[in-house]
Amino acid sequence: MDPEFFDAGQPCAVLTTQPLDRALDYLAPEGGCWLGAYVEVPLGPRRVMGVVWGPAAGDYDRAKLRAIHRVLDVPPMREELRTFIIKAADYTLTPLPAMLRLATRAPGLTDPPATRRILRLGQGEPDRMTDARQRVLEVMHEYGGLAFTQRELADMAGVTTSVIKGLVKQGALTEEDAPKDLPFPHLDPAHKGKDLTEDQAAAASSLAKGINSGLYGTTLLKGVTGSGKTEVYLEAVAACLRQGRQALVLLPEIALTSEFLTRLEARFGGRPAEWHSGVTMTDRRRTWKMVAEGGAQVVVGARSALFLPFRDLGLIVVDEEHDTSYKQEDGVLYNARDMAVLRASLCSARVVLASATPSLESWANAEARKYERLNLTSRFGASVMPEMRAIDMRAETLAASTWISPTLRKAVEERMALGQQSLLFLNRRGYAPVTICRACGHQVACPHCDARMVEHRFLKRLMCHQCGETIPMPEACPSCHVEGKLAPVGPGVERLAEEAAKVFPEARIAVLSSDLFGSARALKEEIKRIADGAADIVIGTQMVAKGHNFPLLTLVGVIDADLGLQGSDLRAAERTFQLMRQVAGRAGRTELKGLALLQTFQPEHPVLRAILSGDEEGFWQAEAAERQAAGVPPYGRMVGIIVSSEELNDAFDVANQLTRHSEVLREAGAQVYGPAPAPIARIRGRHRVRLLVKSPKGVFLQKVIALWVRNVRVRNTTRLTIDIDPQNFL
Ligand SMILES: [Zn+2]
Ligand SMILES: [Zn+2]
């Protein structure tokens, strides 16, 4: 049994957030320290943060050990979180320090507790409005009265602190001393909830029963759009609060957070804590500390909230569990949905996976009885899932470079005559996906990536959607230098909007694409305007499929229903099915009956047939059977390996070595495919070569992979990325 406390001068091991391959031995400081204590330790000339991880390894001369500099004023990391970090690191083959960094990402943790001067909006008006002053006040308004320090506010508004001092002098801002890190308002589970239908009440009570058991368990809560999923899982949150435990609600998109917080406030009479990249430094630290001390009962956040130091986590809700944004694709590669299940299993918590269109993984786990499954069938209010119909594009006559078929056009005109809204859906940002030179046939590509530049006419620039590089729209062809011959090919939402303006000259048209709005607030306002009826036609990308409610919307026209079916991604069918159903679900969420029209060149495609018939279970069963036959997830295991380097030969060299030394994989029953250039063969100037490892389900693949890659010498210039359960194959 490991000691729980280390007396002053006793050696102990400290895991730091620095990229070292193991914990280091230190001496406990004056006053001693607990196992799990957050500490500052000397490392070379620096001081770094770490956590007391266990007894000392003891392989160092004790006389040479340095002492822990100090213990931070926060509760020690609980054993449950330490175990979670270790298991998550093992599962994703991530070095422990990188995992620990995820769990200590709170700025100013090492600062001493004290009060701080904060700024709030005041009553006064500035005598003279300058651009800089305007920006400061806009930031304050944008964050709805949250308090900032002078430095934070100056940084966010991009002004000097003297601008802020001026505003304070004139009373437009007020200064006050606030204790750092106050607890969040108390949330009351008995505060008025919405009346539930019979169906919803039954689901809510089943979830509550699970929570009251105090045991781990995962429930797939499946309900069509508008079935009241949120109301149901908020009752699970209420049950968790009644047990005196904490709840975490994960959302797929920050833009949805503020609307959701308002909903929670209405249900529980107080605003819960927030955790995502849009939260200020000060508020992040407050959330982190209050979660640890029990001063935050509910956290609403992004996937990284899974690594917060909860004192007693009783429930994790993963809303829209199928959403691909739960998979972190940068740095530490983990899937928040799977990690939520892991963490809950370690702290006897419940998991609720909520979705209208679950992932095949969760569906299969429910079929195999690993997860409980609850279905909400009746839609809230009078409406039902909209009627779905295909428009067979082979039978439609369209002019060149137009995408709205006569049939779709007629349907939109009918809605306009009734004063109802239509949504034209196209999952492509920008004006045109390809820019081609009519003189020489050259397609403008990103200089750093194997990707075409996408025209964004609104910005008058070409942009690479892989690395973000943008260049002004060139006059002359970069290849043959002939002027005036560059032409767009194919549609993006901006181009579709242009066509819609010609086809429907009377219509008020709004475009919803994530890149067209400067801030989350501007986007939210536009969504509200549209919901209030300020547009006849909404043109949108994938973001409109998520959660936003437009009561007047009764028609959805999918411009290219075949788009997602191209390519070799093993989840192409699943994703298209989910996306089409979500988008269609935007139509007719109220009393008005909805219609969804899917423009397609292959209406007989099995996926489209399943979408049109609405036979969900049939689709899942067919898809499951196909994956089972192919031995791919969720019925087999996959690991993606990307070797990248500025030199193509170096990348192939390492990849070939891996293939040559793959006996250890074959012995374990796994196969390796490749190497081959990745579908996107170059990103940010680095060539990318892919290997794919496949194995039957029972194999503990991580262990084998770790052994395998250890045998291969990787040069400094070459990077090896291991992606367990890859979600994309680019
Ligand atoms: Zn690029
Ligand atoms: Zn040219």
Side-chain angles (χ1 to χ4, degrees):
M1 180 87 178
D2 289 352
E4 289 285 309
F5 189 83
F6 298 92
D7 292 318
Q10 205 182 336
C12 57
V14 174
L15 182 70
T16 71
T17 53
Q18 302 304 304
L20 307 165
D21 58 359
R22 60 182 206 129
L24 301 174
D25 288 357
Y26 287 92
L27 300 175
E30 196 173 324
C33 58
W34 290 97
L35 180 63
Y38 293 84
V39 294
E40 257 189 316
V41 293
L43 186 71
R46 291 179 302 156
R47 273 187 198 147
V48 301
M49 200 168 133
V51 169
V52 177
W53 209 248
D59 49 2
Y60 256 101
D61 182 358
R62 187 168 168 166
K64 285 188 185 151
L65 290 187
R66 299 166 81 180
I68 288 173
H69 173 64
R70 72 188 176 97
V71 177
L72 304 186
D73 184 31
V74 291
M77 184 184 282
R78 300 163 48 78
E79 194 191 335
E80 164 255 316
L81 181 52
R82 257 181 299 139
T83 312
F84 175 58
I85 288 171
I86 292 168
K87 293 207 167 192
D90 280 351
Y91 189 88
T92 57
L93 290 175
T94 303
L96 265 182
M99 225 64 204
L100 182 64
R101 264 202 298 283
L102 287 179
T104 51
R105 252 194 217 155
L109 266 191
T110 49
D111 296 352
T115 61
R116 63 197 173 100
R117 288 213 81 109
I118 53 156
L119 296 154
R120 290 186 191 281
L121 275 176
Q123 302 295 328
E125 292 280 333
D127 53 357
R128 188 169 53 79
M129 192 55 91
T130 63
D131 279 356
R133 287 178 171 180
Q134 182 80 39
R135 280 206 299 282
V136 173
L137 296 178
E138 268 169 19
V139 168
M140 289 305 274
H141 281 293
E142 187 161 330
Y143 283 86
L146 282 177
F148 296 101
T149 63
Q150 185 171 282
R151 187 70 260 161
E152 278 175 352
L153 187 54
D155 286 349
M156 291 184 73
V159 302
T160 60
T161 48
S162 63
V163 175
I164 290 168
K165 283 178 189 145
L167 285 168
V168 171
K169 203 178 271 174
Q170 300 182 6
L173 297 176
T174 58
E175 271 187 306
E176 57 188 84
D177 283 324
K180 286 177 172 173
D181 311 328
L182 280 177
F184 286 84
H186 178 75
L187 305 186
D188 178 8
H191 198 84
K192 173 125 184 70
K194 267 196 187 162
D195 290 333
L196 300 182
T197 64
E198 211 173 299
D199 200 25
Q200 294 164 354
S205 98
S206 170
L207 290 178
K209 216 167 101 191
I211 284 164
N212 296 342
S213 76
L215 299 171
Y216 158 75
T218 295
T219 304
L220 174 60
L221 176 64
K222 184 180 171 307
V224 293
T225 317
S227 63
K229 268 193 314 291
T230 312
E231 277 79 25
V232 170
Y233 74 62
L234 286 186
E235 291 317 301
V237 172
C240 179
L241 293 177
R242 284 193 193 100
Q243 297 281 317
R245 303 181 75 185
Q246 293 166 301
L248 167 63
V249 181
L250 297 179
L251 299 179
E253 206 196 338
I254 306 176
L256 299 173
T257 318
S258 116
E259 194 184 329
F260 184 75
L261 288 173
T262 309
R263 228 165 141 175
L264 264 145
E265 197 173 358
R267 173 63 187 84
F268 298 114
R271 226 171 154 76
E274 249 180 289
W275 182 269
H276 52 75
S277 57
V279 173
T280 67
M281 300 291 218
T282 318
D283 283 323
R284 273 170 88 91
R285 195 191 53 185
R286 176 185 175 206
T287 296
W288 195 96
K289 282 195 162 178
M290 285 306 122
V291 162
E293 288 170 18
Q297 293 162 284
V298 175
V299 178
V300 176
R303 55 185 177 230
S304 58
L306 274 176
F307 294 88
L308 285 171
F310 288 94
R311 199 174 67 166
D312 185 9
L313 184 59
L315 170 69
I316 307 174
V317 177
V318 184
D319 198 10
E320 309 290 342
E321 65 91 28
H322 61 275
D323 200 289
T324 48
S325 68
Y326 283 122
K327 177 69 189 275
Q328 166 100 10
E329 298 283 8
D330 241 341
V332 180
L333 308 180
Y334 67 94
N335 190 320
R337 179 193 64 215
D338 302 342
M339 290 300 123
V341 171
L342 172 62
R343 179 142 195 203
S345 71
L346 297 170
C347 62
S348 305
R350 303 301 284 197
V351 179
V352 175
L353 304 175
S355 176
T357 51
S359 60
L360 189 64
E361 272 87 357
S362 298
W363 181 87
N365 277 326
E367 287 290 292
R369 309 280 164 134
K370 281 189 204 157
Y371 297 171
E372 185 192 9
R373 176 167 163 179
L374 292 171
N375 291 324
L376 294 171
T377 41
S378 57
R379 279 193 114 184
F380 216 38
S383 59
V384 289
M385 206 48 193
E387 187 190 339
M388 311 257 249
R389 266 189 253 150
I391 296 178
D392 187 342
M393 295 299 275
R394 295 168 301 191
E396 301 276 329
T397 316
L398 273 80
S401 293
T402 66
W403 291 273
I404 300 170
S405 65
T407 306
L408 180 55
R409 171 183 183 161
K410 194 162 153 279
V412 173
E413 281 165 352
E414 280 168 16
R415 304 290 146 159
M416 284 174 61
L418 292 168
Q420 297 171 4
Q421 288 175 331
S422 304
L423 164 68
L424 299 183
F425 176 80
L426 177 64
N427 202 11
R428 252 194 200 142
R429 291 179 290 139
Y431 184 82
V434 178
T435 301
I436 195 167
C437 169
R438 285 221 201 85
C440 73
H442 175 76
Q443 298 185 0
V444 184
C446 173
H448 319 294
C449 306
D450 175 26
R452 297 193 185 97
M453 298 293 268
V454 178
E455 180 181 353
H456 285 247
R457 192 156 285 193
F458 185 72
L459 301 169
K460 299 191 181 64
R461 294 181 85 82
L462 290 174
M463 185 186 290
C464 170
H465 286 183
Q466 287 307 322
C467 71
E469 168 83 325
T470 77
I471 54 168
M473 189 65 204
E475 287 289 317
C477 168
S479 178
C480 72
H481 307 293
V482 173
E483 278 188 29
K485 286 290 181 186
L486 290 177
V489 179
V493 276
E494 293 176 22
R495 196 172 192 190
L496 184 62
E498 199 176 85
E499 181 185 346
K502 278 195 205 119
V503 177
F504 312 106
E506 310 287 294
R508 295 164 302 159
I509 297 173
V511 183
L512 281 182
S513 177
S514 53
D515 53 334
L516 294 178
F517 295 89
S519 67
R521 188 175 70 130
L523 174 61
K524 221 180 93 194
E525 273 171 11
E526 180 66 2
I527 287 169
K528 175 151 191 325
R529 248 173 39 84
I530 294 170
D532 291 344
D536 304 307
I537 299 175
V538 185
I539 293 181
T541 57
Q542 186 162 333
M543 60 164 292
V544 297
K546 295 184 185 179
H548 310 295
N549 202 355
F550 303 115
L552 295 171
L553 188 80
T554 56
L555 173 72
V556 169
V558 176
I559 296 299
D560 186 354
D562 308 331
L563 190 60
L565 292 172
Q566 297 153 8
S568 56
D569 194 322
L570 91 98
R571 293 185 178 82
E574 178 185 348
R575 296 242 167 94
T576 302
F577 185 80
Q578 288 163 340
L579 188 59
M580 290 301 118
R581 285 188 66 91
Q582 284 157 27
V583 172
R586 297 299 112 203
R589 291 199 63 182
T590 49
E591 291 68 32
L592 304 171
K593 170 100 176 117
L595 172 67
L597 295 174
L598 279 60
Q599 298 194 146
T600 171
F601 285 93
Q602 39 183 342
E604 66 289 336
H605 192 291
V607 174
L608 285 165
R609 287 225 312 255
I611 293 166
L612 293 168
S613 70
D615 177 14
E616 246 186 302
E617 289 304 316
F619 172 77
W620 291 124
Q621 265 147 21
E623 183 66 14
E626 234 169 75
R627 299 241 198 123
Q628 204 151 17
V632 295
Y635 302 98
R637 303 209 51 197
M638 273 191 183
V639 177
I641 313 273
I642 293 258
V643 186
S644 70
S645 173
E646 284 176 15
E647 296 298 325
L648 181 62
N649 283 343
D650 289 358
F652 262 108
D653 210 38
V654 171
N656 284 325
Q657 270 191 67
L658 281 166
T659 319
R660 269 200 306 280
H661 297 285
S662 57
E663 315 80 36
V664 53
L665 288 177
R666 284 198 303 276
E667 277 161 24
Q671 296 153 287
V672 56
Y673 299 88
I680 299 173
R682 198 163 60 109
I683 295 182
R684 292 185 183 91
R686 297 179 73 86
H687 294 275
R688 306 167 76 242
V689 173
R690 261 200 102 95
L691 295 161
L692 188 65
V693 178
K694 255 178 78 176
S695 85
K697 218 170 171 192
V699 178
F700 185 43
L701 209 46
Q702 280 86 343
K703 209 170 184 173
V704 185
I705 298 260
L707 281 172
W708 175 45
V709 300
R710 195 185 298 159
N711 287 331
V712 172
R713 222 171 51 85
V714 180
R715 277 186 219 93
N716 288 340
T717 53
T718 310
R719 205 178 305 145
L720 188 71
T721 310
I722 301 171
D723 188 359
I724 306 286
D725 313 328
Q727 287 287 315
N728 84 53
F729 294 83
L730 298 175

